[in-house]
């Protein structure tokens, strides 16, 4: 087990600087354009693939970093560049984590490479969990998966929403209900291979922020997938459902497929928020040093200086919570105090507050699209919403501390 450290090693620093260079030279110059276009920035993803950032190998190296800091370091640097473009680059990772968390070795080896494609033919993937009537309340999920034993196929029917890369993905990972009587315990995850009949894109959402990232509904109309597309396999599912039924009788808790994916990814979302907050703080700091009013830089005024001090303190505190949770996850330490949710909660709230303070420090300039803090402030709003709202994170933390079941 790697010791917890607050210092990156030389190799990690080299990777961090490489990522930072890509974010500064490629992502940032394109940020305003793709935010206005509200389209997937395929040319930027292509550039990321060419240099090796958008690839299975790179994310595998970071995911299996024994210190746990590879993924949060990557997220922070890319989202420092721009949240919308960065999410387009890393969005496939959520689907990949879904397969890693629930799939067999064969499924991992078969499907994750197809999520990324290659340098000459870049692909993306989508993780589909939320529904129009089932966001935080996963027990209300209605998408059904029914097993056709004669054909060894699963038939998926329902509508998913808020899916990053939904409808444009090469591979979709879909969470569906297999046993309605078990509520959220009766869920399973399925791979929908490329070109499968019955899967279509519903409405594409026009969003407040992260507008370069494609978000849409995914409609599943009698989608048939082979039995081998059930993540983990049917034998494992049957055994898990049997245990869930038994535990339900005793009132015990059991995790579901979607929750396993979110628990693994929450510190990474926290790192995204840290990157956006840091970017806004740096713009505000530079502006405060150079903007003069009444014959002196505005940073000489305590009202501005104290805000910057609080901003930096919150950012550093958020990063430490993210790093701790990431280290714990990689080294198999249980989140006995919901440390993953803590990191996501504090980092997302920090991003919203810091970006708002940055706008305030820049004054009227901060409210215009001539300066990036306006976009960063819009982008930051999503961190307290997706992959569990701040209210849900607080609920998870409180119930973990009290020993109450998390449903």
């Amino acid at each position: 087990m790697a010791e917890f450290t607050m210092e990156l090693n030389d190799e990690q620093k080299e990777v961090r600087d490489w990522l930072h260079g890509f974010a500064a030279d490629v992502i940032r110059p394109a940020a305003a354009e793709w935010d206005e276009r509200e389209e997937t920035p395929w040319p930027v993803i292509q550039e990321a693939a060419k240099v090796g950032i958008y690839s299975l190998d790179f994310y595998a190296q970071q995911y299996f970093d024994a210190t746990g800091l590879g993924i949060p370091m990557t997220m922070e640097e890319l989202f420092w560049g721009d949240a919308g473009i960065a999410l387009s680059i890393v969005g496939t990772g959520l689907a990949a984590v879904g397969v890693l968390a629930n799939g067999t070795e064969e499924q991992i080896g078969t499907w994750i490479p197809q999520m990324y494609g290659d340098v000459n033919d870049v692909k993306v993937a989508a993780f589909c969990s939320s529904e129009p009537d089932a966001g935080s309340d996963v027990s209300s999920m209605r998408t059904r998966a029914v097993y056709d034993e004669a054909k060894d196929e699963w038939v998926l029917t329902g509508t998913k929403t808020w899916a990053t890369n939904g409808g444009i993905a090469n591979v979709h990972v879909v969470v569906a209900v297999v046993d309605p009587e078990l509520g959220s315990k009766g869920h399973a995850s399925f791979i929908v291979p490329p070109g499968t009949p019955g899967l279509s894109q519903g409405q594409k959402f026009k969003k407040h922020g992260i507008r370069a990232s494609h978000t849409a509904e995914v409609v599943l109309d009698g989608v048939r997938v082979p039995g081998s597309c059930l993540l983990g396999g049917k034998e494992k599912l049957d055994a898990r459902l049997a245990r869930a039924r038994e535990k339900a009788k005793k009132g015990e808790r059991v995790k579901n497929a979607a929750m396993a994916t979110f628990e693994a990814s929450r510190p990474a979302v926290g790192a995204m928020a840290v990157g956006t907050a840091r970017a806004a703080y740096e713009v505000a700091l530079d502006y405060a040093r150079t903007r003069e009013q009444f014959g002196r830089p505005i940073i000489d005024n305590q009202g501005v200086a104290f805000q910057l001090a609080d901003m930096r303190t919150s950012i550093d505190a958020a990063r430490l919570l993210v790093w701790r949770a990431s280290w714990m996850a990689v080294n198999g330490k249980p989140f006995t105090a919901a440390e993953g949710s803590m990191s996501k909660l504090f980092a997302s709230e920090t991003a919203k507050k810091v970006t708002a303070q940055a706008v305030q420090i820049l004054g009227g300039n901060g409210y215009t699209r001539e300066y990036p803090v306006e976009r960063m402030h819009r982008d930051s709003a999503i961190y307290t919403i997706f992959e569990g709202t701040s209210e849900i994170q607080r609920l998870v933390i409180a119930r973990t501390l009290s020993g109450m079941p998390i449903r």
Side-chain angles (χ1 to χ4, degrees), residues 288-300:
R289 284 171 170 167
T290 57
R291 172 70 167 175
E292 292 191 0
Q293 290 287 283
F294 305 105
R296 60 179 181 174
I298 62 173
I299 198 171
D300 286 352

Side-chain angles (χ1 to χ4, degrees), residues 261-303:
T261 299
F262 290 140
E263 285 181 353
S265 63
R266 276 173 179 157
V269 176
M272 298 174 188
V274 171
T276 299
R278 189 183 112 212
Y281 159 77
E282 290 176 0
V283 173
L285 177 62
D286 182 65
Y287 186 88
R289 284 171 170 167
T290 57
R291 172 70 167 175
E292 292 191 0
Q293 290 287 283
F294 305 105
R296 60 179 181 174
I298 62 173
I299 198 171
D300 286 352
N301 299 308
Q302 282 190 350

Side-chain angles (χ1 to χ4, degrees), residues 358-360 362-371 373-375 377:
V359 171
Q360 189 69 24
L362 269 68
N365 288 328
Y367 197 66
T368 71
R369 294 188 184 180
E370 297 299 314
Y371 287 79
V373 292
E374 178 271 340
R375 185 180 66 253
H377 184 43

Side-chain angles (χ1 to χ4, degrees), residues 47-90:
E47 288 301 311
K50 286 180 181 178
V51 300
I53 293 175
Y54 187 76
S55 71
L56 171 60
D57 288 344
F58 174 71
Y59 282 102
Q61 289 174 14
Q62 304 315 311
Y63 186 85
F64 291 110
D65 180 346
T67 69
L69 302 185
I71 288 295
M73 174 188 68
T74 297
M75 296 301 177
E76 180 176 339
E77 294 305 326
L78 293 179
F79 280 74
W80 172 89
D82 176 69
I85 292 177
L87 189 57
S88 289
I89 293 173
V90 308

Side-chain angles (χ1 to χ4, degrees), residues 2-9 12 65-69 319-320 323-324 327 331:
E3 292 184 0
F4 178 68
T5 176
M6 292 184 290
E7 180 70 23
L8 300 176
N9 59 41
Q12 290 169 327
D65 180 346
T67 69
L69 302 185
R319 183 184 296 109
L320 290 174
W323 282 18
R324 179 184 69 168
W327 173 80
N331 287 282

Side-chain angles (χ1 to χ4, degrees), residues 63 92-113 115 125-127 171-174 189-191 229 231-232 236 257 261:
Y63 186 85
T92 294
L94 184 58
V97 169
V99 176
L100 285 169
N102 302 296
T104 64
E105 290 187 9
E106 182 179 356
Q107 289 170 330
I108 292 169
T110 298
W111 296 112
I112 293 184
M115 293 180 175
F127 182 76
V171 176
H172 291 76
V173 178
V174 177
S189 295
F190 299 84
I191 292 286
C229 288
L231 290 181
K236 182 178 178 181
T261 299

Side-chain angles (χ1 to χ4, degrees), residues 114-346:
Q114 294 188 49
M115 293 180 175
Y116 289 93
D118 57 46
V119 174
N120 298 316
D121 187 18
V122 171
K123 304 292 185 184
V124 295
F127 182 76
C128 307
S129 178
S130 294
E131 297 184 2
D133 296 317
S136 299
D137 182 11
V138 294
S139 63
S140 296
M141 191 176 293
R142 296 181 180 177
T143 297
R144 291 293 306 275
V146 178
Y147 185 57
D148 184 341
E149 188 171 0
K151 295 183 178 180
D152 186 25
E153 292 180 340
W154 288 89
V155 184
L156 279 61
T157 303
T159 300
K160 294 296 180 178
T161 193
W162 310 122
T164 299
N165 298 329
I168 66 170
N170 193 47
V171 176
H172 291 76
V173 178
V174 177
V175 182
V177 179
V178 294
D179 188 333
E181 293 183 0
L182 289 175
S184 63
K185 303 174 181 67
H187 295 174
S189 295
F190 299 84
I191 292 286
V192 180
T196 301
L199 184 147
S200 62
Q201 178 183 308
Q203 68 168 316
K204 176 187 174 183
F205 296 103
K206 296 181 73 67
K207 306 187 299 295
H208 175 63
I210 55 167
R211 302 197 303 189
S213 173
H214 176 96
T215 309
E217 288 184 333
V218 174
V219 180
L220 304 147
D221 184 10
V223 172
R224 285 183 168 268
V225 299
S228 60
C229 288
L230 166 64
L231 290 181
K234 194 166 187 307
E235 183 177 342
K236 182 178 178 181
L237 172 65
D238 290 341
R240 178 169 64 82
L241 293 177
R243 290 194 302 271
R245 294 185 188 101
E246 186 63 27
K247 288 188 175 184
K249 295 177 182 178
K250 300 177 181 179
E252 297 179 7
R253 290 183 290 171
V254 61
K255 294 180 180 179
N256 62 69
M259 188 63 73
T261 299
F262 290 140
E263 285 181 353
S265 63
R266 276 173 179 157
V269 176
M272 298 174 188
V274 171
T276 299
R278 189 183 112 212
Y281 159 77
E282 290 176 0
V283 173
L285 177 62
D286 182 65
Y287 186 88
R289 284 171 170 167
T290 57
R291 172 70 167 175
E292 292 191 0
Q293 290 287 283
F294 305 105
R296 60 179 181 174
I298 62 173
I299 198 171
D300 286 352
N301 299 308
Q302 282 190 350
V304 173
F306 284 8
Q307 283 193 75
L308 289 165
D310 288 344
M311 291 158 76
R312 176 59 186 267
T313 300
S314 296
I315 291 166
D316 282 11
R319 183 184 296 109
L320 290 174
L321 284 171
V322 166
W323 282 18
R324 179 184 69 168
S326 301
W327 173 80
M328 290 176 69
V330 166
N331 287 282
K333 290 189 170 292
F335 290 159
T336 56
E339 287 86 352
S341 289
M342 282 186 185
S343 69
K344 199 263 186 187
L345 169 65
F346 189 82

